[in-house]
Tab-separated table of all heavy atoms in Angstrom:
chain	number	residue	atom	x	y	z
A	366	MET	N	40.599	59.610	-25.909
A	366	MET	CA	39.488	59.428	-26.857
A	366	MET	C	38.410	58.531	-26.249
A	366	MET	O	37.236	58.848	-26.275
A	366	MET	CB	40.040	58.816	-28.159
A	366	MET	CG	39.077	58.904	-29.332
A	366	MET	SD	38.576	60.606	-29.714
A	366	MET	CE	37.575	60.335	-31.157
A	367	ALA	N	38.856	57.432	-25.683
A	367	ALA	CA	37.907	56.494	-25.072
A	367	ALA	C	37.150	57.174	-23.936
A	367	ALA	O	35.970	56.916	-23.730
A	367	ALA	CB	38.637	55.271	-24.562
A	368	ASP	N	37.865	58.053	-23.218
A	368	ASP	CA	37.234	58.755	-22.099
A	368	ASP	C	36.082	59.625	-22.589
A	368	ASP	O	35.034	59.685	-21.958
A	368	ASP	CB	38.268	59.635	-21.381
A	368	ASP	CG	39.140	58.796	-20.459
A	368	ASP	OD1	38.812	57.612	-20.277
A	368	ASP	OD2	40.137	59.317	-19.947
A	369	ILE	N	36.297	60.287	-23.710
A	369	ILE	CA	35.265	61.173	-24.253
A	369	ILE	C	34.034	60.350	-24.629
A	369	ILE	O	32.907	60.726	-24.335
A	369	ILE	CB	35.806	61.949	-25.486
A	369	ILE	CG1	36.909	62.905	-25.032
A	369	ILE	CG2	34.676	62.700	-26.181
A	369	ILE	CD1	37.718	63.488	-26.165
A	370	ILE	N	34.265	59.209	-25.262
A	370	ILE	CA	33.148	58.351	-25.663
A	370	ILE	C	32.421	57.836	-24.431
A	370	ILE	O	31.199	57.832	-24.368
A	370	ILE	CB	33.658	57.183	-26.540
A	370	ILE	CG1	34.183	57.753	-27.861
A	370	ILE	CG2	32.545	56.152	-26.785
A	370	ILE	CD1	34.962	56.772	-28.690
A	371	ASP	N	33.182	57.425	-23.420
A	371	ASP	CA	32.554	56.941	-22.183
A	371	ASP	C	31.669	58.008	-21.573
A	371	ASP	O	30.554	57.737	-21.147
A	371	ASP	CB	33.643	56.549	-21.169
A	371	ASP	CG	34.217	55.176	-21.502
A	371	ASP	OD1	33.663	54.522	-22.393
A	371	ASP	OD2	35.198	54.786	-20.866
A	372	THR	N	32.187	59.228	-21.529
A	372	THR	CA	31.426	60.320	-20.923
A	372	THR	C	30.159	60.599	-21.733
A	372	THR	O	29.091	60.787	-21.166
A	372	THR	CB	32.288	61.590	-20.855
A	372	THR	OG1	33.505	61.263	-20.195
A	372	THR	CG2	31.577	62.678	-20.071
A	373	ALA	N	30.294	60.575	-23.045
A	373	ALA	CA	29.130	60.827	-23.908
A	373	ALA	C	28.072	59.752	-23.684
A	373	ALA	O	26.882	60.045	-23.590
A	373	ALA	CB	29.551	60.857	-25.368
A	374	THR	N	28.512	58.513	-23.586
A	374	THR	CA	27.577	57.410	-23.355
A	374	THR	C	26.904	57.577	-22.006
A	374	THR	O	25.709	57.346	-21.861
A	374	THR	CB	28.334	56.064	-23.402
A	374	THR	OG1	29.066	56.012	-24.609
A	374	THR	CG2	27.374	54.892	-23.332
A	375	GLU	N	27.692	57.986	-21.038
A	375	GLU	CA	27.170	58.181	-19.690
A	375	GLU	C	26.097	59.271	-19.679
A	375	GLU	O	25.029	59.098	-19.088
A	375	GLU	CB	28.327	58.608	-18.775
A	375	GLU	CG	28.225	58.056	-17.369
A	375	GLU	CD	29.543	58.229	-16.640
A	375	GLU	OE1	30.486	57.457	-16.905
A	375	GLU	OE2	29.636	59.155	-15.836
A	376	ILE	N	26.391	60.377	-20.333
A	376	ILE	CA	25.440	61.490	-20.393
A	376	ILE	C	24.162	61.037	-21.101
A	376	ILE	O	23.060	61.314	-20.652
A	376	ILE	CB	26.076	62.712	-21.118
A	376	ILE	CG1	27.169	63.318	-20.249
A	376	ILE	CG2	25.007	63.750	-21.460
A	376	ILE	CD1	28.059	64.311	-20.968
A	377	GLU	N	24.360	60.297	-22.184
A	377	GLU	CA	23.211	59.814	-22.953
A	377	GLU	C	22.324	58.935	-22.074
A	377	GLU	O	21.103	59.026	-22.102
A	377	GLU	CB	23.725	59.020	-24.151
A	377	GLU	CG	22.676	58.820	-25.229
A	377	GLU	CD	23.212	57.944	-26.340
A	377	GLU	OE1	24.222	58.321	-26.956
A	377	GLU	OE2	22.628	56.867	-26.566
A	378	GLU	N	22.966	58.096	-21.289
A	378	GLU	CA	22.222	57.192	-20.424
A	378	GLU	C	21.473	57.973	-19.345
A	378	GLU	O	20.318	57.675	-19.041
A	378	GLU	CB	23.193	56.201	-19.775
A	378	GLU	CG	22.506	54.939	-19.295
A	378	GLU	CD	23.520	53.883	-18.891
A	378	GLU	OE1	24.280	53.448	-19.762
A	378	GLU	OE2	23.559	53.534	-17.706
A	379	LEU	N	22.127	58.975	-18.784
A	379	LEU	CA	21.483	59.810	-17.766
A	379	LEU	C	20.260	60.499	-18.348
A	379	LEU	O	19.202	60.548	-17.711
A	379	LEU	CB	22.470	60.857	-17.251
A	379	LEU	CG	23.510	60.374	-16.239
A	379	LEU	CD1	24.519	61.468	-15.956
A	379	LEU	CD2	22.841	59.930	-14.949
A	380	GLN	N	20.425	61.009	-19.564
A	380	GLN	CA	19.319	61.724	-20.205
A	380	GLN	C	18.175	60.768	-20.496
A	380	GLN	O	17.011	61.110	-20.337
A	380	GLN	CB	19.797	62.388	-21.499
A	380	GLN	CG	20.620	63.641	-21.230
A	380	GLN	CD	21.220	64.218	-22.486
A	380	GLN	OE1	21.407	63.527	-23.475
A	380	GLN	NE2	21.562	65.492	-22.456
A	381	ARG	N	18.528	59.551	-20.911
A	381	ARG	CA	17.505	58.572	-21.231
A	381	ARG	C	16.744	58.189	-19.959
A	381	ARG	O	15.525	58.104	-19.954
A	381	ARG	CB	18.123	57.331	-21.877
A	381	ARG	CG	17.083	56.479	-22.603
A	381	ARG	CD	17.681	55.196	-23.139
A	381	ARG	NE	18.871	55.444	-23.939
A	381	ARG	CZ	20.031	54.816	-23.758
A	381	ARG	NH1	20.150	53.921	-22.808
A	381	ARG	NH2	21.056	55.071	-24.525
A	382	ASN	N	17.476	57.988	-18.888
A	382	ASN	CA	16.832	57.645	-17.617
A	382	ASN	C	15.924	58.769	-17.140
A	382	ASN	O	14.828	58.520	-16.649
A	382	ASN	CB	17.894	57.342	-16.553
A	382	ASN	CG	18.559	55.998	-16.797
A	382	ASN	OD1	18.037	55.170	-17.525
A	382	ASN	ND2	19.710	55.792	-16.190
A	383	ALA	N	16.391	59.997	-17.298
A	383	ALA	CA	15.593	61.146	-16.880
A	383	ALA	C	14.320	61.228	-17.707
A	383	ALA	O	13.232	61.465	-17.177
A	383	ALA	CB	16.411	62.428	-17.031
A	384	ALA	N	14.467	60.985	-19.004
A	384	ALA	CA	13.307	61.033	-19.893
A	384	ALA	C	12.322	59.929	-19.540
A	384	ALA	O	11.115	60.142	-19.525
A	384	ALA	CB	13.757	60.896	-21.342
A	385	LEU	N	12.855	58.756	-19.241
A	385	LEU	CA	11.997	57.622	-18.906
A	385	LEU	C	11.237	57.867	-17.612
A	385	LEU	O	10.046	57.616	-17.535
A	385	LEU	CB	12.835	56.346	-18.779
A	385	LEU	CG	13.167	55.642	-20.089
A	385	LEU	CD1	14.117	54.482	-19.831
A	385	LEU	CD2	11.913	55.138	-20.771
A	386	SER	N	11.919	58.375	-16.606
A	386	SER	CA	11.237	58.587	-15.333
A	386	SER	C	10.241	59.733	-15.453
A	386	SER	O	9.183	59.705	-14.830
A	386	SER	CB	12.239	58.845	-14.203
A	386	SER	OG	12.968	60.010	-14.452
A	387	ALA	N	10.560	60.721	-16.268
A	387	ALA	CA	9.614	61.810	-16.501
A	387	ALA	C	8.379	61.260	-17.204
A	387	ALA	O	7.261	61.638	-16.891
A	387	ALA	CB	10.259	62.894	-17.357
A	388	HIS	N	8.634	60.346	-18.144
A	388	HIS	CA	7.533	59.733	-18.877
A	388	HIS	C	6.645	58.950	-17.916
A	388	HIS	O	5.427	59.025	-17.971
A	388	HIS	CB	8.087	58.812	-19.954
A	388	HIS	CG	7.042	58.266	-20.877
A	388	HIS	ND1	6.416	59.039	-21.819
A	388	HIS	CD2	6.508	57.036	-20.996
A	388	HIS	CE1	5.545	58.289	-22.463
A	388	HIS	NE2	5.576	57.075	-21.983
A	389	ARG	N	7.265	58.182	-17.037
A	389	ARG	CA	6.519	57.378	-16.074
A	389	ARG	C	5.707	58.283	-15.154
A	389	ARG	O	4.569	58.018	-14.849
A	389	ARG	CB	7.481	56.512	-15.250
A	389	ARG	CG	7.564	55.106	-15.787
A	389	ARG	CD	8.441	54.244	-14.909
A	389	ARG	NE	9.489	53.627	-15.718
A	389	ARG	CZ	10.772	53.790	-15.506
A	389	ARG	NH1	11.217	54.534	-14.533
A	389	ARG	NH2	11.640	53.182	-16.275
A	390	ARG	N	6.352	59.331	-14.694
A	390	ARG	CA	5.705	60.263	-13.781
A	390	ARG	C	4.483	60.906	-14.446
A	390	ARG	O	3.507	61.231	-13.791
A	390	ARG	CB	6.703	61.350	-13.368
A	390	ARG	CG	6.552	61.781	-11.919
A	390	ARG	CD	7.542	62.900	-11.595
A	390	ARG	NE	8.926	62.535	-11.916
A	390	ARG	CZ	9.769	63.297	-12.616
A	390	ARG	NH1	9.370	64.456	-13.086
A	390	ARG	NH2	10.999	62.901	-12.852
A	391	ASN	N	4.583	61.084	-15.771
A	391	ASN	CA	3.531	61.798	-16.497
A	391	ASN	C	2.418	60.877	-16.992
A	391	ASN	O	1.553	61.325	-17.727
A	391	ASN	CB	4.134	62.550	-17.692
A	391	ASN	CG	4.880	63.783	-17.228
A	391	ASN	OD1	4.632	64.283	-16.140
A	391	ASN	ND2	5.804	64.251	-18.042
A	392	ARG	N	2.477	59.627	-16.612
A	392	ARG	CA	1.506	58.680	-17.149
A	392	ARG	C	0.068	59.149	-16.904
A	392	ARG	O	-0.793	58.993	-17.747
A	392	ARG	CB	1.725	57.302	-16.527
A	392	ARG	CG	0.967	56.208	-17.228
A	392	ARG	CD	1.312	54.865	-16.623
A	392	ARG	NE	2.653	54.430	-17.039
A	392	ARG	CZ	2.888	53.767	-18.167
A	392	ARG	NH1	1.906	53.475	-18.968
A	392	ARG	NH2	4.107	53.392	-18.486
A	393	ASN	N	-0.167	59.712	-15.739
A	393	ASN	CA	-1.514	60.166	-15.420
A	393	ASN	C	-1.637	61.685	-15.516
A	393	ASN	O	-2.614	62.254	-15.041
A	393	ASN	CB	-1.899	59.703	-14.012
A	393	ASN	CG	-1.943	58.186	-13.931
A	393	ASN	OD1	-2.487	57.531	-14.814
A	393	ASN	ND2	-1.360	57.636	-12.888
A	394	ALA	N	-0.633	62.280	-16.092
A	394	ALA	CA	-0.642	63.733	-16.176
A	394	ALA	C	-1.716	64.198	-17.168
A	394	ALA	O	-2.106	63.462	-18.068
A	394	ALA	CB	0.718	64.247	-16.619
A	395	VAL	N	-2.133	65.413	-16.985
A	395	VAL	CA	-3.128	65.986	-17.881
A	395	VAL	C	-2.420	66.546	-19.108
A	395	VAL	O	-1.455	67.299	-18.986
A	395	VAL	CB	-3.907	67.102	-17.169
A	395	VAL	CG1	-4.940	67.705	-18.112
A	395	VAL	CG2	-4.581	66.557	-15.913
A	396	SER	N	-2.905	66.171	-20.254
A	396	SER	CA	-2.316	66.680	-21.482
A	396	SER	C	-2.761	68.120	-21.708
A	396	SER	O	-3.876	68.497	-21.347
A	396	SER	CB	-2.741	65.817	-22.664
A	396	SER	OG	-2.361	64.482	-22.460
A	397	ALA	N	-1.881	68.878	-22.318
A	397	ALA	CA	-2.214	70.264	-22.620
A	397	ALA	C	-3.263	70.308	-23.715
A	397	ALA	O	-3.301	69.440	-24.597
A	397	ALA	CB	-0.968	71.012	-23.061
A	398	GLU	N	-4.144	71.288	-23.650
A	398	GLU	CA	-5.156	71.404	-24.695
A	398	GLU	C	-4.603	72.126	-25.912
A	398	GLU	O	-5.079	71.950	-27.027
A	398	GLU	CB	-6.384	72.148	-24.157
A	398	GLU	CG	-7.198	71.250	-23.242
A	398	GLU	CD	-8.415	71.956	-22.681
A	398	GLU	OE1	-8.895	72.897	-23.323
A	398	GLU	OE2	-8.860	71.557	-21.598
A	399	ARG	N	-3.583	72.946	-25.630
A	399	ARG	CA	-2.946	73.648	-26.745
A	399	ARG	C	-1.447	73.386	-26.710
A	399	ARG	O	-0.855	73.290	-25.638
A	399	ARG	CB	-3.208	75.158	-26.645
A	399	ARG	CG	-4.602	75.518	-27.059
A	399	ARG	CD	-4.853	77.001	-26.968
A	399	ARG	NE	-6.155	77.333	-27.552
A	399	ARG	CZ	-6.339	77.570	-28.852
A	399	ARG	NH1	-5.325	77.575	-29.675
A	399	ARG	NH2	-7.541	77.825	-29.307
A	400	CYS	N	-0.865	73.318	-27.906
A	400	CYS	CA	0.567	73.097	-28.022
A	400	CYS	C	1.317	74.285	-27.415
A	400	CYS	O	0.989	75.437	-27.703
A	400	CYS	CB	0.924	72.940	-29.494
A	400	CYS	SG	2.679	72.866	-29.794
A	401	GLU	N	2.288	73.993	-26.577
A	401	GLU	CA	3.015	75.093	-25.952
A	401	GLU	C	4.015	75.733	-26.917
A	401	GLU	O	4.540	76.798	-26.648
A	401	GLU	CB	3.724	74.621	-24.673
A	401	GLU	CG	4.848	73.651	-24.907
A	401	GLU	CD	5.590	73.324	-23.614
A	401	GLU	OE1	5.094	73.675	-22.519
A	401	GLU	OE2	6.669	72.736	-23.709
A	402	GLU	N	4.244	75.076	-28.058
A	402	GLU	CA	5.164	75.626	-29.047
A	402	GLU	C	4.438	76.540	-30.042
A	402	GLU	O	4.846	77.661	-30.277
A	402	GLU	CB	5.857	74.495	-29.818
A	402	GLU	CG	6.856	73.703	-29.001
A	402	GLU	CD	8.159	74.458	-28.795
A	402	GLU	OE1	8.648	75.090	-29.744
A	402	GLU	OE2	8.689	74.416	-27.672
A	403	CYS	N	3.365	76.018	-30.640
A	403	CYS	CA	2.714	76.770	-31.719
A	403	CYS	C	1.304	77.232	-31.342
A	403	CYS	O	0.651	77.903	-32.133
A	403	CYS	CB	2.686	75.927	-32.991
A	403	CYS	SG	1.643	74.458	-32.846
A	404	ASP	N	0.826	76.825	-30.154
A	404	ASP	CA	-0.474	77.269	-29.649
A	404	ASP	C	-1.654	76.715	-30.437
A	404	ASP	O	-2.771	77.205	-30.329
A	404	ASP	CB	-0.531	78.798	-29.594
A	404	ASP	CG	-1.505	79.262	-28.503
A	404	ASP	OD1	-1.594	78.594	-27.463
A	404	ASP	OD2	-2.176	80.281	-28.720
A	405	GLU	N	-1.396	75.686	-31.223
A	405	GLU	CA	-2.488	75.016	-31.943
A	405	GLU	C	-3.154	74.035	-30.985
A	405	GLU	O	-2.499	73.458	-30.121
A	405	GLU	CB	-1.937	74.249	-33.157
A	405	GLU	CG	-1.493	75.131	-34.310
A	405	GLU	CD	-2.658	75.828	-34.997
A	405	GLU	OE1	-3.697	75.179	-35.192
A	405	GLU	OE2	-2.505	77.015	-35.325
A	406	PRO	N	-4.466	73.827	-31.136
A	406	PRO	CA	-5.132	72.818	-30.304
A	406	PRO	C	-4.536	71.431	-30.571
A	406	PRO	O	-4.273	71.085	-31.726
A	406	PRO	CB	-6.592	72.871	-30.757
A	406	PRO	CG	-6.736	74.141	-31.497
A	406	PRO	CD	-5.386	74.481	-32.066
A	407	ILE	N	-4.304	70.673	-29.506
A	407	ILE	CA	-3.776	69.317	-29.658
A	407	ILE	C	-4.956	68.373	-29.825
A	407	ILE	O	-5.874	68.390	-29.014
A	407	ILE	CB	-2.932	68.922	-28.430
A	407	ILE	CG1	-1.746	69.891	-28.272
A	407	ILE	CG2	-2.432	67.486	-28.554
A	407	ILE	CD1	-0.937	69.672	-27.006
A	408	PRO	N	-4.944	67.558	-30.897
A	408	PRO	CA	-6.075	66.654	-31.143
A	408	PRO	C	-6.324	65.728	-29.955
A	408	PRO	O	-5.376	65.274	-29.312
A	408	PRO	CB	-5.622	65.850	-32.371
A	408	PRO	CG	-4.573	66.684	-33.014
A	408	PRO	CD	-3.895	67.438	-31.907
A	409	GLU	N	-7.603	65.479	-29.697
A	409	GLU	CA	-8.008	64.633	-28.567
A	409	GLU	C	-7.307	63.273	-28.621
A	409	GLU	O	-6.886	62.732	-27.607
A	409	GLU	CB	-9.528	64.451	-28.603
A	409	GLU	CG	-10.094	63.835	-27.345
A	409	GLU	CD	-9.815	64.675	-26.111
A	409	GLU	OE1	-10.043	65.891	-26.159
A	409	GLU	OE2	-9.369	64.098	-25.107
A	410	LEU	N	-7.154	62.750	-29.822
A	410	LEU	CA	-6.533	61.441	-30.010
A	410	LEU	C	-5.103	61.431	-29.484
A	410	LEU	O	-4.680	60.491	-28.808
A	410	LEU	CB	-6.535	61.107	-31.509
A	410	LEU	CG	-6.745	59.637	-31.857
A	410	LEU	CD1	-8.170	59.219	-31.543
A	410	LEU	CD2	-6.442	59.399	-33.327
A	411	ARG	N	-4.368	62.500	-29.787
A	411	ARG	CA	-2.978	62.575	-29.346
A	411	ARG	C	-2.917	62.772	-27.838
A	411	ARG	O	-2.085	62.196	-27.158
A	411	ARG	CB	-2.264	63.734	-30.056
A	411	ARG	CG	-0.890	64.032	-29.451
A	411	ARG	CD	-0.035	64.901	-30.322
A	411	ARG	NE	1.143	65.357	-29.608
A	411	ARG	CZ	2.210	64.610	-29.370
A	411	ARG	NH1	2.238	63.366	-29.797
A	411	ARG	NH2	3.247	65.083	-28.700
A	412	ARG	N	-3.832	63.579	-27.309
A	412	ARG	CA	-3.826	63.837	-25.871
A	412	ARG	C	-4.093	62.555	-25.105
A	412	ARG	O	-3.553	62.337	-24.028
A	412	ARG	CB	-4.870	64.899	-25.537
A	412	ARG	CG	-4.542	66.242	-26.181
A	412	ARG	CD	-5.620	67.262	-25.909
A	412	ARG	NE	-5.778	67.478	-24.484
A	412	ARG	CZ	-6.937	67.679	-23.861
A	412	ARG	NH1	-8.038	67.713	-24.538
A	412	ARG	NH2	-6.974	67.858	-22.571
A	413	ALA	N	-4.935	61.703	-25.684
A	413	ALA	CA	-5.243	60.419	-25.051
A	413	ALA	C	-4.079	59.437	-25.215
A	413	ALA	O	-3.765	58.679	-24.301
A	413	ALA	CB	-6.509	59.845	-25.651
A	414	ALA	N	-3.445	59.489	-26.369
A	414	ALA	CA	-2.371	58.542	-26.675
A	414	ALA	C	-1.085	58.887	-25.926
A	414	ALA	O	-0.316	58.010	-25.564
A	414	ALA	CB	-2.104	58.518	-28.178
A	415	VAL	N	-0.858	60.175	-25.700
A	415	VAL	CA	0.369	60.625	-25.035
A	415	VAL	C	0.000	61.432	-23.800
A	415	VAL	O	-0.038	62.662	-23.852
A	415	VAL	CB	1.249	61.477	-25.987
A	415	VAL	CG1	2.622	61.710	-25.374
A	415	VAL	CG2	1.365	60.815	-27.348
A	416	PRO	N	-0.314	60.754	-22.685
A	416	PRO	CA	-0.723	61.476	-21.476
A	416	PRO	C	0.353	62.473	-21.044
A	416	PRO	O	1.536	62.135	-21.007
A	416	PRO	CB	-0.887	60.365	-20.429
A	416	PRO	CG	-1.084	59.118	-21.218
A	416	PRO	CD	-0.292	59.307	-22.474
A	417	GLY	N	-0.059	63.664	-20.768
A	417	GLY	CA	0.880	64.675	-20.286
A	417	GLY	C	1.605	65.410	-21.396
A	417	GLY	O	2.496	66.205	-21.128
A	418	CYS	N	1.230	65.151	-22.640
A	418	CYS	CA	1.925	65.826	-23.733
A	418	CYS	C	1.625	67.332	-23.681
A	418	CYS	O	0.538	67.753	-23.286
A	418	CYS	CB	1.526	65.236	-25.082
A	418	CYS	SG	-0.174	65.533	-25.555
A	419	GLN	N	2.612	68.110	-24.056
A	419	GLN	CA	2.473	69.566	-24.008
A	419	GLN	C	2.565	70.196	-25.393
A	419	GLN	O	2.415	71.397	-25.545
A	419	GLN	CB	3.575	70.171	-23.125
A	419	GLN	CG	3.592	69.637	-21.704
A	419	GLN	CD	2.326	69.994	-20.933
A	419	GLN	OE1	1.916	71.136	-20.907
A	419	GLN	NE2	1.703	68.999	-20.324
A	420	THR	N	2.850	69.364	-26.385
A	420	THR	CA	3.007	69.886	-27.739
A	420	THR	C	2.244	69.011	-28.730
A	420	THR	O	1.945	67.863	-28.441
A	420	THR	CB	4.490	69.896	-28.160
A	420	THR	OG1	4.996	68.570	-28.056
A	420	THR	CG2	5.318	70.814	-27.287
A	421	CYS	N	1.938	69.579	-29.887
A	421	CYS	CA	1.310	68.793	-30.940
A	421	CYS	C	2.352	67.847	-31.547
A	421	CYS	O	3.555	68.000	-31.313
A	421	CYS	CB	0.731	69.710	-32.018
A	421	CYS	SG	1.956	70.609	-32.968
A	422	ALA	N	1.869	66.883	-32.321
A	422	ALA	CA	2.766	65.875	-32.887
A	422	ALA	C	3.839	66.522	-33.761
A	422	ALA	O	4.999	66.108	-33.753
A	422	ALA	CB	1.965	64.862	-33.703
A	423	GLU	N	3.456	67.540	-34.493
A	423	GLU	CA	4.397	68.202	-35.384
A	423	GLU	C	5.547	68.843	-34.613
A	423	GLU	O	6.712	68.641	-34.920
A	423	GLU	CB	3.669	69.282	-36.185
A	423	GLU	CG	3.775	69.095	-37.684
A	423	GLU	CD	2.830	70.044	-38.410
A	423	GLU	OE1	1.661	69.670	-38.620
A	423	GLU	OE2	3.274	71.141	-38.725
A	424	CYS	N	5.189	69.623	-33.584
A	424	CYS	CA	6.216	70.288	-32.787
A	424	CYS	C	7.058	69.259	-32.045
A	424	CYS	O	8.262	69.422	-31.907
A	424	CYS	CB	5.591	71.269	-31.806
A	424	CYS	SG	4.918	72.711	-32.637
A	425	GLN	N	6.415	68.194	-31.579
A	425	GLN	CA	7.146	67.165	-30.858
A	425	GLN	C	8.223	66.553	-31.738
A	425	GLN	O	9.344	66.327	-31.298
A	425	GLN	CB	6.172	66.083	-30.363
A	425	GLN	CG	6.843	65.015	-29.508
A	425	GLN	CD	7.484	65.590	-28.260
A	425	GLN	OE1	6.913	66.447	-27.607
A	425	GLN	NE2	8.676	65.132	-27.939
A	426	SER	N	7.892	66.307	-33.000
A	426	SER	CA	8.884	65.699	-33.884
A	426	SER	C	10.022	66.676	-34.161
A	426	SER	O	11.173	66.274	-34.297
A	426	SER	CB	8.233	65.235	-35.192
A	426	SER	OG	7.764	66.341	-35.926
A	427	VAL	N	9.689	67.973	-34.211
A	427	VAL	CA	10.739	68.983	-34.402
A	427	VAL	C	11.649	69.005	-33.177
A	427	VAL	O	12.872	69.049	-33.299
A	427	VAL	CB	10.117	70.380	-34.640
A	427	VAL	CG1	11.198	71.453	-34.606
A	427	VAL	CG2	9.385	70.407	-35.957
A	428	ILE	N	11.041	68.937	-31.994
A	428	ILE	CA	11.818	68.960	-30.759
A	428	ILE	C	12.727	67.737	-30.689
A	428	ILE	O	13.912	67.847	-30.338
A	428	ILE	CB	10.875	68.998	-29.534
A	428	ILE	CG1	10.171	70.351	-29.462
A	428	ILE	CG2	11.639	68.720	-28.239
A	428	ILE	CD1	9.004	70.389	-28.484
A	429	GLU	N	12.165	66.584	-31.050
A	429	GLU	CA	12.969	65.354	-30.997
A	429	GLU	C	14.117	65.408	-31.980
A	429	GLU	O	15.228	64.973	-31.684
A	429	GLU	CB	12.071	64.136	-31.250
A	429	GLU	CG	11.350	63.705	-29.987
A	429	GLU	CD	10.255	62.679	-30.253
A	429	GLU	OE1	10.246	62.064	-31.323
A	429	GLU	OE2	9.403	62.528	-29.358
A	430	LEU	N	13.834	65.957	-33.159
A	430	LEU	CA	14.887	66.101	-34.166
A	430	LEU	C	15.982	67.026	-33.644
A	430	LEU	O	17.175	66.748	-33.780
A	430	LEU	CB	14.278	66.653	-35.456
A	430	LEU	CG	15.185	66.592	-36.694
A	430	LEU	CD1	15.353	65.157	-37.158
A	430	LEU	CD2	14.587	67.414	-37.825
A	431	ARG	N	15.556	68.122	-33.029
A	431	ARG	CA	16.495	69.093	-32.478
A	431	ARG	C	17.360	68.446	-31.400
A	431	ARG	O	18.563	68.634	-31.367
A	431	ARG	CB	15.710	70.265	-31.889
A	431	ARG	CG	16.420	71.594	-31.972
A	431	ARG	CD	15.654	72.638	-31.200
A	431	ARG	NE	14.405	73.059	-31.842
A	431	ARG	CZ	13.341	73.507	-31.182
A	431	ARG	NH1	13.356	73.573	-29.861
A	431	ARG	NH2	12.266	73.881	-31.828
A	432	ASN	N	16.732	67.678	-30.528
A	432	ASN	CA	17.470	66.994	-29.465
A	432	ASN	C	18.463	66.009	-30.039
A	432	ASN	O	19.574	65.874	-29.545
A	432	ASN	CB	16.488	66.274	-28.530
A	432	ASN	CG	15.751	67.238	-27.633
A	432	ASN	OD1	16.166	68.384	-27.475
A	432	ASN	ND2	14.655	66.790	-27.051
A	433	LYS	N	18.038	65.321	-31.096
A	433	LYS	CA	18.906	64.326	-31.723
A	433	LYS	C	20.120	65.023	-32.320
A	433	LYS	O	21.247	64.570	-32.180
A	433	LYS	CB	18.111	63.593	-32.806
A	433	LYS	CG	18.588	62.163	-33.017
A	433	LYS	CD	17.750	61.451	-34.044
A	433	LYS	CE	16.376	61.040	-33.518
A	433	LYS	NZ	15.521	60.476	-34.587
A	434	GLN	N	19.872	66.159	-32.985
A	434	GLN	CA	20.977	66.882	-33.615
A	434	GLN	C	21.931	67.412	-32.563
A	434	GLN	O	23.133	67.426	-32.733
A	434	GLN	CB	20.435	68.039	-34.459
A	434	GLN	CG	19.832	67.566	-35.764
A	434	GLN	CD	19.096	68.672	-36.501
A	434	GLN	OE1	18.727	69.681	-35.905
A	434	GLN	NE2	18.888	68.481	-37.782
A	435	ARG	N	21.371	67.857	-31.439
A	435	ARG	CA	22.202	68.361	-30.344
A	435	ARG	C	23.045	67.240	-29.764
A	435	ARG	O	24.163	67.454	-29.339
A	435	ARG	CB	21.301	68.992	-29.271
A	435	ARG	CG	21.986	70.020	-28.445
A	435	ARG	CD	21.022	70.606	-27.437
A	435	ARG	NE	20.036	71.484	-28.044
A	435	ARG	CZ	18.809	71.709	-27.551
A	435	ARG	NH1	18.419	71.093	-26.460
A	435	ARG	NH2	17.995	72.543	-28.129
A	436	GLY	N	22.470	66.035	-29.747
A	436	GLY	CA	23.163	64.898	-29.173
A	436	GLY	C	24.326	64.422	-30.019
A	436	GLY	O	25.228	63.779	-29.509
A	437	LEU	N	24.331	64.754	-31.314
A	437	LEU	CA	25.394	64.268	-32.192
A	437	LEU	C	26.693	65.036	-32.054
A	437	LEU	O	26.696	66.150	-31.667
A	437	LEU	CB	24.955	64.320	-33.647
A	437	LEU	CG	23.971	63.211	-34.056
A	437	LEU	CD1	23.505	63.449	-35.482
A	437	LEU	CD2	24.624	61.841	-33.969
B	325	LIG	ZN1	2.709	72.585	-32.065
């Protein structure tokens, strides 16, 4: 049982590190003009606030929710 928890924690940490380094790498990335999920234009404010973003805030929250549910 402890092994399973250790492995899950390890995977979580790897994913977090990958996300963090991707975030760092994307600091100067160009934000998408349209959401890659729903094809809606991404507001200029969000594109400026989240450099390198590829989705609108709505889709992003859905994706994050989905990832969270997958992680459980
Ligand atoms: Zn969207």
